[in-house]
């Protein structure tokens, strides 16, 4: 019984340790829980310009901290979520967004994966049809009398054709 309790306790400790650690320092947290939640939602979708594949919410980089503070300052000043995002995009470019907006500038980015999937599927379909036709043609092809006689002669001699 004691081993089972220890195993459950160890599993809980490992589960908690596996959770992503937020890099938000206690001095950054806003007193208003609604504003803090908005800040967390925004910063979870903003890219750390140093780490590049982490959100500013998860990054310990000094620039990420500056961006988290900037987001909170803008929210306290009364900006909407959209205004905060627009401000950061104007300042740092679309790269600051972890999920880029759909626009003419990002059309290629959004279209490449589905197009590659379609091209790959079409290629496989054409190759399969071509193979099926080749196999069907090979099965229905008969030898002429001359070819059949040559084949019989080769087989009678031992099959090596010499």
């Amino acid at each position: 019984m004691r081993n089972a309790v220890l195993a459950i306790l160890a599993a809980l400790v490992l589960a908690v340790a596996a959770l992503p650690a937020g890099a938000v320092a206690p001095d950054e947290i806003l007193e208003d829980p609604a504003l803090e939640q908005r800040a967390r939602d925004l910063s979870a979708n903003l890219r750390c310009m140093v780490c590049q594949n982490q959100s500013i919410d998860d990054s310990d980089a000094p620039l990420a901290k500056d961006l988290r503070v900037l987001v909170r300052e803008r929210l306290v000043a009364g900006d909407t979520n959209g205004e905060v995002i627009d401000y950061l995009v104007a300042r740092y470019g679309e790269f600051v967004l972890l999920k880029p907006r759909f626009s003419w500038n990002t059309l290629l980015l959004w279209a490449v994966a589905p197009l590659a999937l379609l091209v790959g599927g079409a290629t496989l379909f054409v190759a399969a049809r071509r193979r099926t036709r080749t196999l069907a043609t090979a099965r229905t092809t008969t030898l002429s009398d001359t070819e059949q006689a040559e084949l019989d002669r080769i087989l009678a001699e031992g099959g090596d054709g010499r």
Side-chain angles (χ1 to χ4, degrees):
M1 179 70 173
R2 183 170 180 214
N3 288 341
V5 171
L6 287 175
I8 291 172
L9 185 61
L12 287 173
V13 168
L14 287 174
V16 170
L19 292 174
V24 179
D27 62 333
E28 297 174 33
I29 297 175
L30 297 173
E31 291 178 17
D32 182 359
L35 275 181
E36 179 59 28
Q37 186 58 48
R38 282 178 57 202
R40 291 289 180 112
D41 292 342
L42 285 170
S43 62
N45 294 312
L46 295 171
R47 181 186 318 272
C48 173
M49 305 303 277
V50 176
C51 307
Q52 295 189 4
N53 252 356
Q54 271 187 318
S55 70
I56 62 171
D57 206 30
D58 296 330
S59 175
D60 287 327
L63 179 60
K65 177 180 169 113
D66 293 343
L67 287 173
R68 287 191 304 267
V69 170
L70 179 63
V71 166
R72 284 165 173 75
E73 286 173 356
R74 302 290 297 191
L75 290 175
V76 169
D79 285 1
T80 65
N81 290 3
E83 289 172 337
V84 172
I85 295 292
D86 290 342
Y87 176 80
L88 291 170
V89 167
R91 194 168 186 185
Y92 295 102
E94 289 276 331
F95 188 72
V96 77
L97 302 175
L98 276 174
K99 182 180 177 187
R101 297 174 179 163
F102 184 77
S103 67
W104 287 108
N105 296 338
T106 59
L107 181 63
L108 183 63
L109 173 70
W110 288 102
V112 165
L115 285 175
L117 187 62
L118 287 173
V119 168
T123 302
L124 289 174
F125 179 75
V126 168
R129 285 194 56 159
R130 186 174 294 155
R131 179 179 166 95
T132 302
R133 280 192 202 140
T134 303
L135 290 175
T137 304
R139 282 190 210 120
T140 59
T141 304
T142 58
L143 298 175
S144 68
D145 292 337
T146 309
E147 292 170 333
Q148 187 63 45
E150 180 68 16
L151 179 61
D152 292 339
R153 184 188 64 76
I154 291 171
L155 291 173
E157 292 176 1
D160 62 1
R162 293 183 207 174

